């Protein structure tokens, strides 16, 4: 179990307890915690409705694959800290990651 | 005015199959979809992906499923209004409805079925100052008629296939084309990217990389775009048209304003017949929610069958419905 922090628009951070041994993607974890993200494509890196911004801990994450980069390229507000949460599998190295849900602002 | 029994909002797989279930009960359907093609998410998001949980099809490519559904409902001759978004529902004195689109199309029907998936797919809009003010005055989110850009100065933004394809196409039509992309490489089709670099190398287009359009200017109509570089430099480019191409994003749209029970962007239904809180309006597929809801195409198919049995009473109020299997009665076209 690790902690991942979600920062809201007013800068407040909430800690999520995230299991690393259940095969969930970060998108699935966020949905399980009832964050209102659509995840339209179900995790295929196609719809970008699970877009997140990594505020702290970018170096803890594996590099994006081609599918993820292709989709991020179609977003008007993606930047160097953008990731698709459906493509991230929480691991022990990600403990302490801080993210913001960009997809919520785009909705 | 189009007259039909059932107006289905959304031409995705569930909306299409609903035509079949209506047809078995001799009810005619008209479908409206904001996308210019049928298939919904399957057509827009993952046309080439295999789907594994359609009964009887161990694996089927999404666009093949759409093709098969179109064949399956062909004999029931549904009508289609594509590329238009439903804007309003008008209840008539006799209980029927007129469904109106943003293009002014009206569909008179006895029953409305919302099969709109996650809503309508609408263009992703970049955060650009004055963007919405200039919509219809120089800002376009898609290229419907390339000829309208002949001999005009056009700025496109984006780094995907659409941005590359239209840059190449409009290079021969427009007076001047400028493509702005926030990255320094393109991840669209390598062939298209190469053509864009080639056009830029020959001076036929202007390519501005590592930059984003951040402001629009003009006097009533668009006159210029301001482009902010990653290095904080600002370039102002005179232009007649600005076309941001960042793909589509699902939005609930006007459905949210129809006084239907909506929870977390989905319409609450009664699982008895998938009816909403408003008589004669049903919601099936990913657009609805109820305890235990699973967003699967096959669940939407089931919901379509159940709801059409319920809708029958509004289309044929004087007839008694008796359930029949297709294996007994076959499929009788009209």
């Amino acid at each position: 179990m690790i902690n991942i922090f979600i920062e809201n628009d007013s800068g407040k951070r909430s800690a999520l307890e995230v299991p690393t041994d259940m095969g969930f993607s970060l998108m699935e974890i966020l949905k399980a915690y009832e964050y209102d993200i659509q995840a339209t494509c179900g995790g295929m890196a196609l719809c970008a409705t699970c877009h997140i911004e990594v505020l702290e801990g970018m170096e803890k994450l594996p590099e994006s694959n081609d599918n993820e980069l292709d989709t991020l390229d179609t977003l008007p507000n993606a930047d160097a800290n953008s990731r698709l949460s459906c493509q991230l599998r929480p691991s022990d190295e990600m403990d302490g990651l801080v993210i913001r849900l960009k997809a919520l602002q785009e909705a | 005015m189009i007259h039909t029994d059932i107006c289905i909002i959304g031409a995705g797989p569930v909306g299409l199959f609903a035509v079949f279930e209506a047809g078995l009960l001799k009810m005619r359907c008209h479908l409206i979809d904001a996308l210019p093609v049928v298939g919904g998410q399957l057509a827009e998001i993952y046309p080439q992906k295999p789907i594994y949980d359609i009964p009887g099809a161990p694996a089927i490519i999404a666009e093949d499923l759409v093709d098969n559904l179109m064949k399956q409902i062909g004999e029931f001759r549904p009508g289609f209004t594509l590329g238009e978004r439903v804007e309003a529902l008008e209840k008539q004195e006799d209980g029927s409805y007129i469904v109106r689109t943003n293009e002014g199309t009206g569909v008179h029907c006895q029953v409305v079925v919302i099969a709109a998936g996650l809503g309508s797919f609408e263009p992703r809009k970049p955060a650009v100052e004055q963007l919405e003010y200039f919509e219809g005055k120089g800002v376009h989110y898609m290229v419907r008629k390339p000829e309208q850009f002949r001999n005009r100065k056009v700025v496109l933004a984006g780094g995907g296939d659409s941005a590359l394809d239209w840059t190449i196409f409009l290079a021969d039509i427009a007076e001047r084309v400028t493509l702005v992309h926030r990255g320094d490489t393109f991840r669209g089709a390598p062939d298209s990217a190469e053509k864009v670099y080639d056009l830029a190398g020959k001076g036929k287009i202007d390519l501005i990389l590592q930059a984003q359009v951040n402001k629009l200017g003009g006097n009533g109509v668009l006159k210029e775009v301001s482009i902010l570089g990653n290095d904080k430099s600002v370039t102002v480019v005179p232009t007649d048209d600005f076309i941001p191409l960042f793909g589509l994003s699902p939005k609930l749209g006007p459905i949210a304003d129809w006084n239907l029970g909506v929870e977390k962007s989905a319409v609450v239904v009664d699982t008895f017949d998938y009816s909403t809180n408003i008589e004669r309006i049903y919601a099936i597929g990913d657009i609805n929610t109820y305890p235990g809801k699973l967003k699967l195409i096959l669940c939407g198919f089931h919901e379509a069958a159940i709801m059409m049995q319920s809708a029958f009473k509004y289309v044929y109020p004087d007839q008694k419905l008796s359930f029949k299997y297709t294996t007994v009665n076959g499929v009788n076209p009209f």
Side-chain angles (χ1 to χ4, degrees):
Chain A
M1 197 73 87
I2 60 169
N3 281 307
I4 289 180
F5 299 88
I6 316 285
E7 185 172 300
N8 68 13
D9 287 345
S10 54
K12 189 177 169 225
R13 293 182 179 183
S14 319
L16 301 188
E17 287 198 336
V18 175
T20 55
D21 57 352
M22 293 174 71
F24 289 135
S25 68
L26 182 54
M27 175 273 282
E28 289 164 329
I29 300 281
L30 292 169
K31 281 181 79 81
Y33 274 103
E34 300 198 336
Y35 280 93
D36 193 15
I37 58 171
Q38 293 181 318
T40 312
C41 70
M44 292 189 286
L46 290 170
C47 69
T49 53
C50 67
H51 181 192
I52 61 169
E53 179 182 5
V54 179
L55 301 175
E56 290 174 23
M58 195 68 176
E59 72 287 352
K60 299 170 191 268
L61 304 179
E63 286 190 4
S64 300
N65 61 29
D66 282 352
N67 286 342
E68 185 180 354
L69 290 172
D70 287 350
T71 299
L72 287 172
D73 230 9
T74 65
L75 299 181
N77 62 345
D79 56 30
N81 294 325
S82 286
R83 295 299 300 259
L84 298 179
S85 57
C86 69
Q87 297 301 296
L88 295 171
R89 297 267 164 202
S91 63
D92 292 342
E93 294 76 54
M94 293 185 200
D95 193 23
L97 191 72
V98 183
I99 64 172
R100 203 157 59 93
L101 304 184
K102 287 193 95 163
L104 280 185
Q105 290 131 26
E106 292 156 10
Chain B
M1 178 76 70
I2 296 162
H3 293 275
T4 190
D5 297 323
I6 313 266
C7 180
I8 301 174
I9 302 169
V14 172
L16 294 176
F17 187 67
V19 175
F20 182 78
E21 290 296 329
L24 293 177
L25 303 177
K26 303 220 173 297
M27 299 189 290
R28 293 176 188 277
C29 296
H30 189 90
L31 298 96
I32 303 173
D33 202 296
L35 290 175
V37 295
V38 299
Q41 284 180 57
L42 279 66
E44 183 55 38
I45 300 181
Y46 51 94
Q48 292 302 320
K49 291 276 178 181
I51 303 169
Y52 298 102
D53 56 358
I54 304 297
I60 185 164
I61 302 295
E63 68 180 7
D64 291 344
L65 176 60
V66 175
D67 289 345
N68 286 349
L69 285 162
M70 288 297 283
K71 279 183 203 143
Q72 190 171 19
I73 65 176
E75 293 194 297
F76 294 125
R77 293 187 286 125
F80 289 95
T81 297
L82 300 175
E84 297 183 23
R85 191 175 80 159
V86 168
E87 288 288 347
L89 287 182
E90 296 167 9
K91 188 167 187 175
Q92 307 301 293
E93 274 187 19
D94 63 356
S96 62
Y97 277 96
I98 293 174
V99 182
R100 292 206 188 272
T101 74
N102 60 329
E103 301 280 331
T105 303
V107 179
H108 178 250
C109 59
Q110 298 301 320
V111 171
V112 176
V113 179
I114 304 170
L118 288 146
S120 55
F121 285 87
E122 295 180 19
R124 279 200 191 98
K125 296 182 183 181
V128 173
E129 226 176 282
Q130 299 272 72
L131 184 77
E132 297 198 344
Y133 171 75
F134 284 109
E135 286 176 2
K137 303 167 193 160
V139 168
H140 317 262
Y141 297 107
M142 56 185 72
V143 180
R144 286 182 196 274
K145 296 175 189 159
E147 271 302 313
Q148 80 179 95
F149 300 105
R150 184 167 290 281
N151 300 328
R152 290 169 70 87
K153 293 185 279 292
V154 180
V155 174
L156 297 110
D161 285 319
S162 311
L164 294 172
D165 291 347
W166 283 117
T167 297
I168 295 163
F169 194 89
L170 292 176
D172 285 334
I173 291 176
E175 178 191 320
R176 194 70 191 163
V177 171
T178 304
L179 175 61
V180 183
H181 176 41
R182 70 180 160 74
D184 57 2
T185 55
F186 289 103
R187 305 192 51 80
D191 182 48
S192 306
E194 209 170 293
K195 276 186 193 154
V196 166
Y197 287 128
D198 189 46
L199 286 168
K202 288 177 179 161
K204 292 187 175 168
I205 63 163
D206 293 314
L207 185 57
I208 303 180
L209 299 174
Q210 296 195 299
Q212 297 185 59
V213 173
N214 69 332
K215 203 190 309 181
L216 306 182
N219 186 12
V221 293
L222 184 64
K223 290 284 179 207
E224 62 186 28
V225 300
S226 169
I227 298 166
L228 178 65
N230 290 357
D231 59 0
K232 306 291 177 204
S233 63
V234 175
T235 312
V236 175
V237 175
T239 192
D240 301 309
D241 299 288
F242 174 52
I243 313 175
L245 294 169
F246 293 105
L248 302 175
S249 169
K251 298 259 191 276
L252 198 54
I255 292 171
D257 305 325
W258 293 348
N259 295 321
L260 298 162
V262 171
E263 277 179 12
K264 287 196 171 182
S265 300
V267 178
V268 178
V269 291
D270 181 346
T271 48
F272 177 76
D273 59 0
Y274 303 99
S275 54
T276 68
N277 60 348
I278 300 179
E279 197 177 20
R280 294 180 186 242
I281 302 179
Y282 295 82
I284 56 176
D286 285 359
I287 194 82
N288 77 11
T289 185
Y290 50 83
K293 169 71 182 179
L294 276 183
K295 288 188 177 186
L296 292 176
I297 293 171
L298 69 97
C299 297
F301 289 167
H302 159 85
E303 294 164 13
I306 302 277
M307 67 86 14
M308 284 301 174
Q309 301 280 319
S310 173
F312 185 86
K313 61 180 177 283
Y314 299 115
V315 178
Y316 296 109
D318 302 327
Q319 290 184 32
K320 188 172 180 301
L321 175 65
S322 61
F323 179 76
K324 292 167 183 164
Y325 294 107
T326 55
T327 42
V328 177
N329 282 61
V331 175
N332 301 304
F334 49 76

